[in-house]
Amino acid sequence: MAETPPEDRLDALDAWLAAALGGRPFRREPASADASFRRYFRVFAGDATWIAMDAPPPAEDCRPFVRIAGLMRAAGLNAPEVHAADLDRGFLLLTDLGRQTFLQAIEAGHPDPSALFSGARDALVRWQLASREGELPPYDEALLRREIDLFPDWYLARHASAPLAGSEGDAVRAVFDRVLAANLAQARVFVHRDFMPRNLMVSQPAPGVLDFQDAVHGPVSYDIACLYRDAFLSWPEDVVLDGTIRYWERARDAGLPVPADFGDFWRDVEWMGLQRHLKVLGIFARLRYRDGKPAYLEDAPRFLGYVRATAERYRELAPLARLVDRLEGREAKAGYTF
């Protein structure tokens, strides 16, 4: 199928919306965009509003979004309801969950961010309790490795002009192997995969949950690592630790398969977060050099900081810490917590 030009797609979307709304007069305005090819519009008809998703095939497939939205709603989460769909053309009409993300609320000076995160942790536990084997794609070794390899392929080789080679390359790849082995040793649950303030809405009930179409069945620590080690916000270590403990206590009491000892779970979270940080650095570089979206790479220092903080705490990760030192032109530091 030939790809429809963007403006032609907007004409087609408007015609589809007119039919989906039963001929009611409406107007639409841009609502948001993301790193994919999807576009979102807020649709006004009388006193009601909806969100229209434009997911142009073959670049996007909105079928996973529809299916996972149903799974989330069945689990008791506030995910969008699909009011109308044209799956072949990539058009959806969805519940409008609000205008403000957690990220926007926090940046605007929300008086109690801890309350937002408490609701997010509760929603995460409900999502994980609904987990069923075989319902979502497995977050298996092949996928985890493809993701972590984005770092050497795109960030190191393409962006930093510092491809892995020689003894350093062997040592860093051995770190990758250890990290993935630790990730794969964890118990498995439903994983949102981008459970962060930018994808959580200030809504009733809170949070509204978005951007879940890439959900998988994978390591239990993934989403909590994602929530507190954000692409756009950095939290002090004591805030991250406190929030992770509160999640772990709630998850343990609910019967989720988290380790009985918090120290073991904290290591799982850190090593799972490390896989994600390396993946995100690679994705940011790919967005710039392949997709012409340079802005994401501005947050690379935040993720290098996450990588450094974890790699400096564990002896097994020392080669990765030395690599980050070299990238940032720093003198290597000795001393490990574990």
Side-chain angles (χ1 to χ4, degrees), residues 220-242:
V220 66
S221 72
Y222 190 96
D223 280 340
I224 195 65
C226 182
L227 181 62
Y228 283 99
R229 293 161 177 80
D230 185 23
F232 307 100
L233 292 171
S234 294
W235 298 101
E237 182 95 352
D238 62 326
V239 173
V240 176
L241 187 59
D242 178 75

Side-chain angles (χ1 to χ4, degrees), residues 272-292:
M272 188 74 254
L274 185 60
Q275 187 272 351
R276 176 178 167 79
H277 308 329
L278 294 169
K279 172 187 75 170
V280 169
L281 284 164
I283 288 173
F284 284 176
R286 187 176 66 184
L287 283 167
R288 174 176 178 175
Y289 296 105
R290 189 191 71 181
D291 301 332

Side-chain angles (χ1 to χ4, degrees), residues 11 21 32 42 44 55 64 114 131 142 145 162 173 178 254 304 318:
D11 291 341
L21 294 171
S32 67
R42 182 164 279 104
F44 301 83
S114 64
S131 302
R145 191 172 293 280
R173 291 195 180 279
R178 285 192 287 272
L304 282 173

Side-chain angles (χ1 to χ4, degrees), residues 13-14 16-18 20-21 24-31 40-54 92-96 99:
L13 175 64
D14 285 342
W16 179 78
L17 286 170
L21 294 171
R24 298 166 62 187
F26 71 91
R27 65 181 178 87
R28 61 168 171 80
E29 63 182 33
Y40 300 89
F41 302 92
R42 182 164 279 104
V43 178
F44 301 83
D47 294 332
T49 65
W50 295 268
I51 296 296
M53 179 196 291
D54 171 24
L92 298 179
L93 187 64
L94 308 169
T95 308
D96 185 354
R99 290 176 171 270

